[in-house]
Amino acid sequence: MYISSFQSFNEKSVILRKAYEADKSPSLAAAEAKSEAAKRVKIGIYFATWWALNVVFNIYNKKVLNAYPYPWLTSTLSLACGSLMMLVSWATKIAEPPKINLEFWKALFPVAVAHTIGHVAATVSMSKVAVSFTHIIKSGEPAFSVIVSRFLLGERFPPAVYLSLVPIIGGCGLAALTELNFNMTGFMGAMISNLAFVFRNIFSKKGMKGKSVSGMNYYACLSMLSLLILTPFAIAVEGPHMWAAGWKEAVSEIGPQFIWWVAAQSIFYHLYNQVSYMSLDEISPLTFSVGNTMKRISVIVSSIIIFRTPVQPINALGAAIAILGTFLYSQVSDQVNYKRGCILVL
């Protein structure tokens, strides 16, 4: 009797719950659709801002380096500007200061070392070659990621991942061989930057697990630590005497607007990196890697137009192949990561 009553009550509860869900489902579906649309708009804004800031940074950075070929100081100023902006933001409560301890800084140190090397190497590259060429070579970063992960970390990948590297390596090689204004220092700078950023991603993934810091604050701390690492090396390599003489010459040739160029490249460097780290809080690694590929396309195309960089058809073909390979790699690696339950960072 008791069991029968209970079954009857349970059946009524199920019917009532289903009726409630049926009544609620249209509003729920509408709310979910609205939320998804809002999320897509937000991601679109992130991407548009990220690409625009990156394009502006690369333009002003190249303008500065053409008139003032001191990449070590330029790199230092970029980090110093970003660090100052974030310290002011924290002091004025515009941004919430991160709650971090000594262990956080210890974990961040190897990330900062790799970030510093990659940042300087990329700036040295852009001081010697066209912006478009540097970014074509930097599109080969996934190849470095797989090689380092395979031979240093012992990770294994399916054939599809290795096959996706063929167009990346082939395209970069074709672009390098057909570059009209090829420079070995510029080429090696881009290659070293690729390797350094791969290690930065590996150290970041290994050392920052379990540490809840927002993307914006994480990059702010990274900039500050990198600034401390870079400053003594910048002084040793170039030095105040060279900086002062070069500054005087640049201002006399360009005029007061040169000061704006330096300020702009420093501000926009921090902003585009900050937005990219903030976007990682909102999107998947695959979406981020696809966005990064599109970012390179926007930088390459815009820099060619603005600086009127001469490009041979075979050189453009190499760039297109390399970028296509990067896109294919992001698609294949995402499937591998899904199966493994981990992230293969770009």
Side-chain angles (χ1 to χ4, degrees):
M1 183 75 178
Y2 173 79
I3 294 173
S4 176
S5 299
F6 179 78
Q7 287 176 342
S8 176
F9 173 78
N10 193 40
E11 287 172 1
K12 288 179 181 178
S13 298
V14 170
I15 292 168
L16 285 170
R17 190 174 73 246
K18 285 182 177 179
Y20 173 76
E21 288 175 353
D23 184 58
K24 188 181 177 183
S25 58
S27 59
L28 263 177
E32 287 176 1
K34 190 175 180 181
S35 175
E36 186 64 26
K39 186 178 179 181
R40 288 182 180 180
V41 169
K42 188 177 182 180
I43 291 171
I45 292 171
Y46 268 125
F47 273 8
T49 307
W50 177 22
W51 296 342
L53 291 172
N54 193 267
V55 168
V56 174
F57 158 70
N58 277 279
I59 291 169
Y60 279 110
N61 189 47
K62 186 60 178 175
K63 281 175 173 282
V64 170
L65 291 170
N66 284 342
Y68 189 67
Y70 297 99
W72 288 78
L73 176 61
T74 304
S75 301
T76 306
L77 291 175
S78 300
L79 295 172
C81 181
S83 299
L84 179 62
M85 288 168 64
M86 286 309 302
L87 287 173
V88 171
S89 298
W90 291 339
T92 56
K93 303 299 182 181
I94 294 174
E96 186 70 25
K99 296 177 181 179
I100 51 180
N101 53 26
L102 183 60
E103 291 302 315
F104 172 85
W105 291 107
K106 286 180 180 178
L108 189 64
F109 182 76
V111 183
V113 171
H115 179 73
T116 304
I117 295 171
H119 175 40
V120 173
T123 309
V124 168
S125 175
M126 281 191 269
S127 71
K128 299 294 183 181
V129 295
V131 174
S132 56
F133 180 70
T134 297
H135 279 273
I136 291 168
I137 300 305
K138 281 181 66 62
S139 67
E141 187 176 323
F144 285 84
S145 181
V146 171
I147 291 169
V148 169
S149 298
R150 175 67 185 88
F151 292 103
L152 293 185
L153 302 180
E155 294 184 20
R156 294 183 178 276
F157 305 95
V161 171
Y162 295 111
L163 287 174
S164 71
L165 300 182
V166 174
I168 295 176
I169 296 171
C172 287
L174 183 61
L177 290 172
T178 57
E179 174 65 21
L180 293 174
N181 300 309
F182 181 83
N183 178 280
M184 183 54 74
T185 302
F187 174 74
M188 290 306 299
M191 295 287 279
I192 291 170
S193 178
N194 279 342
L195 186 61
F197 283 143
V198 166
F199 278 105
R200 178 194 66 178
N201 293 338
I202 291 172
F203 293 146
S204 182
K205 184 173 70 171
K206 285 182 173 292
M208 302 312 295
K209 283 181 179 178
K211 295 177 174 60
S212 56
V213 179
S214 69
M216 181 176 66
N217 284 335
Y218 179 83
Y219 181 70
C221 294
L222 182 62
S223 294
M224 293 172 192
L225 192 51
S226 293
L227 176 62
L228 293 176
I229 295 168
L230 177 57
T231 301
F233 288 97
I235 293 171
V237 174
E238 293 173 347
H241 180 72
M242 293 175 65
W243 295 338
W247 185 273
K248 186 177 180 181
E249 184 180 346
V251 171
S252 65
E253 288 183 4
I254 306 299
Q257 64 178 332
F258 172 73
I259 300 172
W260 159 247
W261 291 359
V262 175
Q265 74 89 25
S266 300
I267 293 169
F268 284 107
Y269 172 80
H270 175 77
L271 290 178
Y272 101 74
N273 274 290
Q274 189 179 77
V275 171
S276 71
Y277 272 81
M278 288 170 65
S279 68
L280 273 172
D281 290 339
E282 304 289 337
I283 59 179
S284 70
L286 173 63
T287 306
F288 183 84
S289 65
V290 172
N292 200 38
T293 302
M294 299 304 294
K295 177 206 75 176
R296 293 213 187 281
I297 295 173
S298 63
V299 170
I300 290 169
V301 172
S302 62
S303 65
I304 288 173
I305 294 171
I306 291 170
F307 294 108
R308 298 179 182 178
T309 307
V311 180
Q312 298 183 53
I314 192 73
N315 186 260
L317 177 63
I321 292 172
I323 291 170
L324 175 63
T326 304
F327 177 77
L328 293 175
Y329 168 83
S330 69
Q331 301 295 308
V332 174
S333 64
D334 179 65
Q335 295 178 8
V336 175
N337 298 334
Y338 179 79
K339 292 176 181 177
R340 292 182 178 180
C342 63
I343 297 173
L344 180 62
V345 289
L346 279 172

